[in-house]
Amino acid sequence: HATLAVHNILGQEVARLIDKELTAGSYNVRWNGTDNYGAPLASGVYLYRLTAGDVVRTRKMILLK
């Protein structure tokens, strides 16, 4: 099971991009800068968290408009 979520700098989840079973391989995901309800988010620093099995990775990204 794989999950890819975007969090604001306070750690609150603002968007969940992937939440399903995936086979091993490479994938591309495009995020349009909106939250789970389709509202645009402000420019700034966000964190994305990828969870796949026992692996959890969190990285920083910057949203520029």
Side-chain angles (χ1 to χ4, degrees):
H1 190 83
T3 303
L4 179 62
V6 179
H7 299 265
N8 62 19
I9 201 68
L10 299 175
Q12 301 164 325
E13 183 177 309
V14 294
R16 186 167 289 229
L17 306 178
I18 295 175
D19 190 9
K20 61 183 176 180
E21 294 291 328
L22 296 173
T23 58
S26 296
Y27 295 89
N28 291 316
V29 176
R30 185 174 290 234
W31 177 49
N32 60 2
T34 59
D35 65 10
N36 285 327
Y37 306 104
L41 294 170
S43 296
V45 177
Y46 291 87
L47 304 169
Y48 64 91
R49 171 175 256 171
L50 173 64
T51 305
D54 295 337
V55 178
V56 178
R57 298 280 187 257
T58 303
R59 299 288 186 263
K60 203 169 26 168
M61 66 178 165
I62 298 174
L63 176 62
L64 296 175
K65 293 186 175 188

